[in-house]
Amino acid sequence: MPKEKDLLASVSNISTDSEFFSPMPAGYKKGKTRYVFVVGTVMSGLGKGIFSSCLALLMQDKGLKVAPIKLEGYLNIDSGTLNPFRHGEVFVLDDGMECDMDLGTYERMLNQDLSKANFTTSGQIFSSVLHKERHGDYLGRDVQMIPHVTGEVKLKLRNLAARTNADIVFVEIGGTVGDLENAYFIEAMRELAYEEGLGSSCFVALTYILEPKTLGEQKSKAAQLGIKQLMQCGIQPDIIACRASNPVSEKVRQKISLYSNVPFERVISLPDSASIYMIPAMLRDHGLDFEVARLLKIEDRINLRVERKAWAQWCDFTDKIGSARHSVTIGITGKYTSVRDSYASIINALEHAGIALGCETEIKWIETTGIIDQTAAEKLADVDGIIVPGGFGTRGAEGKIACIKYARENNIPYLGLCFGFQMAVLEFARNVCGLTKANSTEIEPDCAEPIIDILPEQKKIEGLGGNMRLGGRDIEIKPQTMAWELFGKTNSVRMRFRHRYEVDPRYIEQLENAGLVFSGKAPKQPIMQILELPSHSFFMGTQAHPCLTSRPLQPHPMFVGLVAAAAQKQYPEEKMPDCVKAARKVSSLKT
Ligand code: GLN
């Protein structure tokens, strides 16, 4: 991968006289990579990421190499400092990039590990431009939105193309056409399409069709105006996807086609779908995959044999959706209980495990503020399993510990994720080891028994952006433990982390002597990564976030284990798949 410095050396067309400015990464082959640009009109939240990932999946399944990228309009350098309550969960990539939850959708759909090259924000773009300006890289020019900032965006996209050697780069622009924030992204796309030449790019506009209850009919005006706004930016959409609660009528699609110069067959109806995993089939039914291949003139790169196999495998998975014979309720304790997006990956991981096991997973959100040992039983009466997810700060922590105590004492399947792992250690220390004052210094900085304490490497860090223990790390698994069985008797697994605190190594021996098993550890440091209780049907915790790497065709073993154990609890009369065997069977599915 060429360094940024080398990339600048290859900047073409720069001279103080020229108005052209299009930095090209070293090794960029014009014409090799095509671009699909996905923008939204009318409103945000239309599912641009979902649409883009589903279309990318269909193209990947044809043997094409695809690389997605999301361009975010905000000025934050990454999503790490964003409140999940406002912006959905912070997704963490293997290289430690903290990014938008859409990257999770791309990873899950495409079954690909992505990197920071697949995500950028206005903050990153501007900071890079300003850095280059100070460095004197603009040859005395006045640094402008066009061509320098747009040039930086094009450089990002071409960099991704060069680095991945992709047949198609899928570019998703955050926000809505007309936002001040993303206007320069849209201009950069226009320039890129022009520079790459005819047949190099395809513009998809997602729009929304209103259906006011009082009228009882679909109205297309907002969509028309939104598309007109895009055309005012010099962009002629090739495809218009009409989002709506119901199928979009032919009449409405005809109207949109006429007003936007887009052939009727390419104005498609995309009503709400019960599962996002059904959307690739919807797009395929519209023939969108081959239409895109035609528009991009890459039909000759398609491998139909690869496609047949990949599609059959995908359909094996989607056929199982909605055909579950059993159902379990998993209680998730959480601070952000009102916003489902804050826990998107956990919801997905449960869905993957449930589909694989033929067991519907209902979620019950549990607000833990105010829960105490005496009320835990009542609050958890109707759940078959409990997840305490990641979290920060003190609110609701004592209630979570009360829930964990109830799960441990009543043999209720339990999975603790990151903060939930730390809380499980505290519960065990207090109620089994008798360390009644056990706490985390995140919650009580001067506590007498700081069982959970800040990582040594974190002590000297100042500020809060991008500096937790972040990204993928290997975990050494202790043989003959449940974790070892769940992961298929392997000695090492990789998971993703995002934390500042850990189990203080001084307490490990005492905890282990009392029966807590640390079945996963960091290979070279005394950082505890997985815990379990051998006497319990399923009691596990991990300092990592296994939900981030659960994929539809490869559900994460820890989630499969939890759901299988919960199903056994719910259906004691039936012989349900043993959680360990189940995890091994379904998680070993290869794509
Ligand atoms: N707040 C805890 C820590 O920083 C847990 C973090 C999390 O759950 N992501 O270690």
Side-chain angles (χ1 to χ4, degrees), residues 203-491:
F203 287 92
V204 184
L206 254 73
T207 191
Y208 193 73
I209 305 302
L210 302 172
E211 199 166 351
K213 270 210 184 83
T214 42
L215 299 180
E217 64 169 322
Q218 294 180 322
K219 301 300 263 179
S220 67
K221 183 64 82 192
Q224 286 174 41
L225 292 175
I227 290 158
K228 206 161 254 177
Q229 202 159 14
L230 181 65
M231 291 162 89
Q232 278 166 3
C233 304
I235 289 173
Q236 167 62 54
D238 298 292
I239 293 167
I240 297 176
C242 305
R243 291 278 299 111
S245 347
N246 297 303
V248 179
S249 72
E250 208 170 298
K251 196 175 121 208
V252 164
R253 284 186 294 127
Q254 280 171 352
K255 226 177 209 173
I256 292 176
S257 163
L258 182 67
Y259 280 92
S260 60
N261 309 322
V262 177
F264 178 65
E265 322 73 74
R266 287 199 237 131
V267 181
I268 63 161
S269 155
L270 267 194
D272 292 347
S273 162
S275 162
I276 69 163
Y277 300 118
M278 304 309 282
I279 296 173
M282 261 195 206
L283 302 184
R284 216 174 118 102
D285 288 348
H286 289 300
L288 214 59
D289 45 353
F290 283 99
E291 195 62 46
V292 168
R294 259 191 302 279
L295 287 164
L296 296 178
K297 302 191 178 29
I298 45 171
E299 294 136 294
D300 55 334
R301 300 190 202 172
I302 289 175
N303 184 335
L304 288 174
R305 200 183 286 182
V306 169
E307 178 183 45
R308 260 196 303 277
K309 216 172 132 208
W311 188 244
Q313 198 174 24
W314 182 256
C315 292
D316 283 348
F317 163 72
T318 53
D319 282 353
K320 290 195 219 128
I321 297 175
S323 65
R325 286 186 301 118
H326 296 102
S327 170
V328 293
T329 303
I330 304 292
I332 305 183
T333 67
K335 191 153 101 174
Y336 309 123
T337 46
S338 56
V339 178
R340 295 175 141 256
D341 277 1
S342 323
Y343 296 112
S345 291
I346 297 179
I347 297 172
N348 268 281
L350 279 174
E351 195 183 353
H352 303 158
I355 292 169
L357 292 168
C359 183
E360 186 109 15
T361 49
E362 301 283 341
I363 292 173
K364 182 177 175 196
W365 300 99
I366 299 162
E367 171 61 59
T368 53
T369 329
I371 298 187
I372 51 171
D373 288 356
Q374 290 71 21
T375 54
E378 178 203 331
K379 294 275 180 196
L380 300 169
D382 47 2
V383 303
D384 308 307
I386 298 169
I387 291 178
V388 173
F392 293 84
T394 55
R395 199 177 145 245
E398 288 302 322
K400 288 174 190 170
I401 294 176
C403 292
I404 298 170
K405 178 169 190 270
Y406 181 78
R408 182 178 56 76
E409 291 179 343
N410 294 281
N411 206 24
I412 298 181
Y414 174 73
L415 182 59
L417 308 171
C418 203
F419 197 66
F421 163 91
Q422 297 172 354
M423 295 302 105
V425 175
L426 291 185
E427 191 280 318
F428 191 84
R430 286 183 192 178
N431 301 320
V432 180
C433 300
L435 297 165
T436 49
K437 297 208 158 54
N439 216 333
S440 161
T441 52
E442 182 180 7
I443 298 168
E444 191 191 348
D446 300 318
C447 65
E449 304 282 6
I451 308 269
I452 305 294
D453 199 5
I454 195 146
L455 282 151
E457 70 209 44
Q458 289 285 323
K459 283 193 177 139
K460 41 190 185 301
I461 289 175
E462 285 174 18
L464 289 178
N467 52 23
M468 278 186 253
R469 183 168 178 263
L470 281 171
R473 313 272 163 144
D474 292 331
I475 304 177
E476 216 171 75
I477 305 290
K478 188 172 184 173
Q480 317 300 338
T481 58
M482 184 184 255
W484 186 71
E485 296 277 358
L486 275 177
F487 289 112
K489 303 194 175 174
T490 175
N491 295 333

Side-chain angles (χ1 to χ4, degrees), residues 9 70 84 87 117 121 154 172 189 200 224 238 270 295 317 330 337 344 386 401 473 508 517-518 524 548 577 582:
K70 167 131 197 202
H87 206 83
T121 66
K154 291 183 284 180
E172 174 196 349
M189 293 178 343
S200 64
Q224 286 174 41
D238 298 292
L270 267 194
L295 287 164
F317 163 72
I330 304 292
T337 46
I386 298 169
I401 294 176
R473 313 272 163 144
I508 294 171
V517 172
F518 286 110
K524 292 203 180 75
L548 300 178

